[in-house]
Amino acid sequence: MADQRDAYLSACPSRKLLDEIAGKWVSLILVALGDGPQRYSDLSRRIAGVSQKMLTQTLRVLERDGLIRREVTASVPVRVDYSLTPLGESLRALMAGFKGWAEANFDAVSSARADYDARTPDLTIGPGGAS
């Protein structure tokens, strides 16, 4: 019998994986790599707001999880390219859908937020949403 996973359970290992892949930097990196292999500096320029520390950390996690490949080419200076693995490509397709949805529906969500805020002036929700 196959091992059953249930991410609703706090002790389930799939919960930690879900927490990792749900991060904003993960989704943006995976979608960006959908355009083909890129260097660290390319990703850093393309993904506005990501710090060097967060980009490095996220790339390491993605490589460890088998979602991206890090290829080092011996040259002066050393060239490092990042690309999607087949597993990463399967997740990229989902993340691209989320990114597209957010871009297409931002105005509707913004309007809903404004309506909600007008009805409930005593409740303040920060830019990241409710926690």
Side-chain angles (χ1 to χ4, degrees):
M1 183 172 163
D3 186 18
Q4 296 294 314
R5 303 280 186 213
D6 185 353
Y8 288 118
L9 301 175
S10 63
C12 183
S14 63
R15 167 83 71 95
K16 178 153 179 44
L17 177 59
L18 188 58
D19 287 345
E20 286 177 6
I21 64 175
K24 67 180 171 184
W25 304 124
V26 169
S27 60
L28 293 173
I29 289 168
L30 291 176
V31 174
L33 289 175
D35 293 337
Q38 295 184 47
R39 297 173 78 172
Y40 182 95
S41 58
D42 297 330
L43 291 168
S44 180
R45 276 192 300 275
R46 184 158 185 197
I47 303 170
V50 65
S51 68
Q52 181 177 356
K53 177 183 175 183
M54 283 308 303
L55 182 55
T56 299
Q57 185 177 342
T58 305
L59 289 168
R60 285 181 182 157
V61 168
L62 293 173
E63 182 181 11
R64 180 173 185 253
D65 289 347
L67 299 171
I68 67 170
R69 181 179 306 106
R70 180 179 184 266
E71 186 175 334
V72 179
T73 304
S75 62
V76 179
V78 172
R79 180 183 174 104
V80 179
D81 290 290
Y82 295 92
S83 60
L84 294 172
T85 63
L87 185 61
E89 179 57 42
S90 69
L91 182 56
R92 185 215 57 84
L94 295 170
M95 294 302 186
F98 285 127
K99 178 182 172 287
W101 184 92
E103 292 166 347
N105 291 287
F106 178 79
D107 290 340
V109 171
S110 183
S111 177
R113 287 175 178 173
D115 291 346
Y116 179 89
D117 292 347
R119 291 190 319 271
T120 55
D122 294 338
L123 182 62
T124 302
I125 298 178
S131 19

